[in-house]
Amino acid sequence: MPAPRTDFPLLAANPALHYLDSAATSQKPRAVLDAMTEFYATANANPHRGAYALSAEATQRYLDARERVARFVGVADADCLLFTRGTTEALNLVAWSWARAQLRAGDEVVVTGMEHHANFVPWQQAALATGARLRVCELTADGRVDLDCLRGLVGRRTRLVAFAHVSNALGTVNPVAEIAAIAHAAGALAVCDGAQAAPHLRVDFDRLGVDFYAFSGHKMCGPMGIGALVGRRALLEAMPPWQMGGDMIEYVGDESSTWNALPHKFEAGTPNVAGAVGLAAACDYLDALGMDHVLAHERALLRLATERLGELPGLTIYGPPAAERSGVLGFTLADVHPHDLATILDQAGVCIRAGHHCAQPLMRRLGVPATARASFYVYNDARDVEALVRGVRHAAAIFAGAGA
Ligand SMILES: Cc1ncc(COP(=O)(O)O)c(C=O)c1O
């Protein structure tokens, strides 16, 4: 296990808890909680605004946090990392600022059939508002993006291709550079949803080849309410702001206004400095563990869980083999509803997710209303897998009895 449970106060306080819902949100290490408390206890002031030393200190902490987070995701130009509330807000920023200004009737936006609603609905609605057309790339039977389908869909009308780096429901790790190359060959932008990637594998934005990359702090040991959009400077500079208010302006006249430089143009209002500081501490924490170890550890648990659960009759696992995914295990057990399964597991202290995982287009393609999802992270170990397997066996026995 790369991270001791004792680093995580909630897990340390609940030794019998088997937390297998880190794809929804991760637990937070003490180091992150301490960094946030320390900011509020020693440096709290509104950044950018005060002419006094304490405000300058808060401004510096915010600046340092941006540079730290930018380094974590391989961004050399830290001003191109915009803090947002999370992935949802980051993707909406592109959809509202870029897409609504740029799309015209007849244009096309391509998404894949495995997207989280956060990377589907903003494009669908931007297309509806502008007269553009949303096209959905189909998946292969084992839950990958069908690249032949993608090549067929992306053409001279395509303005933007939006896709997940890692699927939240299947765990599929997508070939980002290849998908970006398909988009760019048609002159379209590539937007990547990294919500399920940044917590689990090394992200190097400057090498990925995408134009925009979004992620959330709370899934990667950081606090809720902070995340980021990374974008190419030329695009961000050309885009209009999407939220208006303090900090994002240069000059406000009675009739019109001009905009501040990056990153401020896209960060209206008082920023979440404590959140940014906490996210920077999370980057320190994950880097100390080593992102290669993080992914290797998750995959080892995923392989173990796949083998053990695979022995159960009626169990279906969705997505590609363990070596090609993150630590996400989506499954169903015969005709047991995933919500019933999750409730039974909860009685044994096993937290899993059940439902459509904010991916209804994917559920339609899988032909199921819902799946159960166990997701592994740095603090999980083989005991958590065993508890999961025991719980699923128990559920199978209950439903076999009920059916008899
Ligand atoms: C793939 C993916 N995209 C986007 C999101 C939305 O993230 P947030 O709710 O942090 O904005 C999630 C959250 O589960 C996700 O898994």
Side-chain angles (χ1 to χ4, degrees):
M1 171 167 46
R5 271 177 83 98
T6 47
D7 280 1
F8 295 79
L10 187 143
L11 298 177
N14 296 282
L17 189 74
H18 301 282
Y19 187 74
L20 295 176
D21 195 20
S22 298
T25 198
S26 72
Q27 295 302 333
K28 322 301 177 199
R30 161 91 51 212
V32 167
L33 307 180
D34 286 351
M36 295 173 73
T37 304
E38 201 265 346
F39 165 75
Y40 278 127
T42 67
N44 179 54
N46 204 317
H48 309 311
R49 295 186 186 179
Y52 48 93
L54 190 61
S55 174
E57 176 65 21
T59 306
Q60 190 60 46
R61 301 274 185 115
Y62 191 50
L63 222 132
D64 292 347
R66 191 186 310 277
E67 301 217 325
R68 179 65 188 93
V69 178
R71 199 151 31 90
F72 185 77
V73 288
V75 178
D77 185 351
D79 288 344
C80 293
L81 183 140
L82 317 175
F83 280 123
T84 62
R85 284 194 296 122
T87 306
T88 304
E89 190 174 69
L91 294 167
N92 270 278
L93 191 163
V94 184
W96 282 90
S97 170
W98 186 88
R100 295 203 180 215
Q102 292 288 328
L103 294 179
R104 302 279 176 271
D107 287 346
E108 293 183 354
V109 173
V110 176
V111 295
T112 84
M114 68 169 72
E115 298 312 313
H116 187 283
H117 296 160
N119 200 28
F120 196 102
V121 186
W123 310 118
Q124 178 191 64
Q125 294 301 308
L128 285 171
T130 55
R133 179 177 175 203
L134 184 77
R135 307 198 68 185
V136 183
C137 177
E138 296 304 333
L139 309 177
T140 61
D142 61 354
R144 300 165 213 250
V145 174
D146 182 340
L147 292 177
D148 289 333
C149 176
L150 189 69
R151 287 189 196 94
L153 280 182
V154 175
R156 63 187 174 77
R157 291 175 185 278
T158 314
R159 302 290 313 282
L160 184 143
V161 178
F163 61 100
H165 190 164
V166 175
S167 154
N168 65 310
L170 301 169
T172 315
V173 181
N174 284 318
V176 176
E178 212 172 331
I179 295 176
I182 293 171
H184 289 157
L189 296 184
V191 178
C192 191
D193 170 354
Q196 297 293 344
H200 308 287
L201 44 92
R202 169 71 49 217
V203 172
D204 192 345
F205 174 79
D206 287 342
R207 289 192 182 178
L208 275 178
V210 295
D211 300 291
F212 294 102
Y213 195 89
F215 60 98
S216 300
H218 69 96
K219 295 182 194 288
M220 49 184 283
C221 293
M224 293 182 177
I226 189 84
L229 176 75
V230 180
R232 286 204 290 114
R233 178 174 274 278
L235 286 166
L236 292 173
E237 283 184 339
M239 282 158 51
W242 75 305
Q243 290 178 342
M244 314 292 160
D247 283 347
M248 52 74 64
I249 52 85
E250 178 190 55
Y251 176 76
V252 177
D254 282 359
E255 309 294 330
S256 65
S257 301
T258 56
W259 314 131
N260 203 343
L262 293 176
H264 312 292
K265 182 172 78 170
F266 292 104
E267 293 185 3
T270 300
N272 180 1
V273 183
V277 165
L279 178 53
C283 294
D284 286 343
Y285 186 82
L286 288 173
D287 268 342
L289 297 179
M291 291 308 287
D292 293 342
H293 288 128
V294 170
L295 184 62
H297 173 71
E298 288 177 19
R299 282 186 168 158
L301 293 179
L302 184 73
R303 262 194 301 275
L304 179 63
T306 305
E307 276 166 27
R308 301 281 281 106
L309 287 175
E311 297 163 359
L312 300 181
L315 197 121
T316 306
I317 293 175
Y318 300 91
E324 294 164 48
R325 54 157 101 188
S326 69
V328 166
L329 184 69
F331 63 98
T332 51
L333 176 65
D335 51 6
V336 178
H337 195 284
H339 282 141
D340 293 336
L341 197 53
T343 305
I344 292 168
L345 283 163
D346 185 42
Q347 286 159 7
V350 180
C351 309
I352 65 159
R353 186 80 158 196
H356 54 60
H357 312 291
C358 299
Q360 289 180 0
L362 173 64
M363 295 297 123
R364 281 197 297 280
R365 284 164 173 81
L366 296 178
V368 292
T371 63
R373 180 186 72 186
S375 49
F376 303 106
Y377 206 25
V378 291
Y379 32 69
N380 292 123
D381 62 16
R383 281 169 302 186
D384 296 315
V385 175
E386 289 311 321
L388 171 71
V389 174
R390 254 194 327 274
V392 175
R393 278 188 187 283
H394 180 53
I398 291 175
F399 280 91

